[in-house]
Amino acid sequence: MAVDEFELIRHYFSDLGNDKSGSVRLSVGDDCAIIAPPAGYNLVVSIDTMVEGTHFPKGTPGDKVASRLLGAALSDLAAMAAVPACFTLALTLPETDNVWLKAFSTRLSELASQYGVRLVGGDTTKGPLTLSIQVHGWTKPGKALLRSGAQPGDRIFVTGTLGDSRGGLETILKHITGEQVPYLQKRFFNPEPRLDTALLVSDFATSAIDISDGLLADLNHILVASRVGAMLHPAELPVSQSLYRWVGEKQAREWALGGGEDFELCFTVPLLSEPKLAWALREHDVAVTCIGQITETPGIVLAEEGKVWSVEPQGYNHFSEKGVNR
Ligand code: ADP
Ligand code: MG
């Protein structure tokens, strides 16, 4: 990178976020960061990459890229019911655009402080705009929510509303304006990792995943890992008023099932634990909706008004021609 690489790191990325878990011993500035895991916890690690033109349109302002990038990365920690601690940032930039960098680092800093994570290091190179965040968090051994624990009879739940992000992307790509557009675009650029919800349900949930490729595709990962199937009730899918008003029920449902990048949680809870779920969520401000149940028969079926039909668990897949649905 240019001679001012170190100046750029110092200016924008040397003191960003806060370390709520109190585990960072050495942050940006040396060859490595040093982290002291809290006694008795396991380290949970995940990385997410965004490429301009693939994950966000060319010309997207830095603040929107920042919220999308950190939100998506932290969503993976939420899916494991991990407590976030810190992250590293790999930046490949075509040029030093100070307006873009300021917007990016300011928003990243706000959100990192909000979620209690600290930026502890990274790498800065020159090239086509590409950004990776690796997040690090903690779980108690045996307490992480895996994809493999769902059992026949478990109820399937999702957080928030589904399909908004897919709607938001559509409005961006087709330059659509209108009353519902700001909300939908906010849902695309500003995913809200469901870290608190995950911690509240982690004692009794049997499996979890975050919805990044679309509900059907991601639920299917749980089903395959747990060797079970699912019956879903499309009429129960939580859809926002904005999406419903903009595209109507049929399209909203399709995007709720297959649209990607909701970054909501999908998790399973045994029928007998439903009272615990209700109690755990009694003061929680994120909606949690039951959308179906786990079955013994593999595959996904939809059930509505006495009719039952099976669906393909499609989703967004970067290297598959078949699986791409947008
Ligand atoms: P090295 O050459 O030893 O790998 P670098 O010169 O790449 O180190 O980075 C210097 C310091 O700045 C390191 O502490 C590194 O973690 C940090 N750093 C580099 N790029 C970033 C970035 N984009 N965000 C945060 N920290 C960064
Ligand atoms: Mg070094």
Side-chain angles (χ1 to χ4, degrees), residues 179-191:
E179 204 187 334
Q180 317 302 340
V181 169
Y183 174 79
L184 297 173
Q185 293 195 357
K186 182 164 166 262
R187 294 279 288 155
F188 177 80
F189 282 121
N190 202 359

Side-chain angles (χ1 to χ4, degrees), residues 50-62:
M50 284 172 61
V51 179
E52 186 183 54
T54 301
H55 299 90
F56 58 93
K58 216 170 158 35
T60 301

Side-chain angles (χ1 to χ4, degrees), residues 299-317:
I300 305 179
V301 296
L302 303 184
E304 194 171 35
E305 290 169 356
K307 282 180 292 178
V308 175
W309 67 102
S310 57
V311 280
E312 284 295 312
Q314 301 172 318
Y316 188 75
N317 182 327

Side-chain angles (χ1 to χ4, degrees), residues 30-52:
D30 214 310
D31 293 304
C32 294
I34 302 179
I35 317 296
Y41 280 80
N42 284 346
L43 172 63
V44 184
V45 182
S46 166
I47 188 162
D48 262 297
T49 296
M50 284 172 61
V51 179
E52 186 183 54

Side-chain angles (χ1 to χ4, degrees), residues 5-6 9 13 27-32 89-91 119-124:
E5 172 190 337
F6 300 110
I9 296 165
F13 301 113
S27 187
V28 172
D30 214 310
D31 293 304
C32 294
L89 169 69
L91 266 185
L119 177 61
V120 295
D123 198 20
T124 307

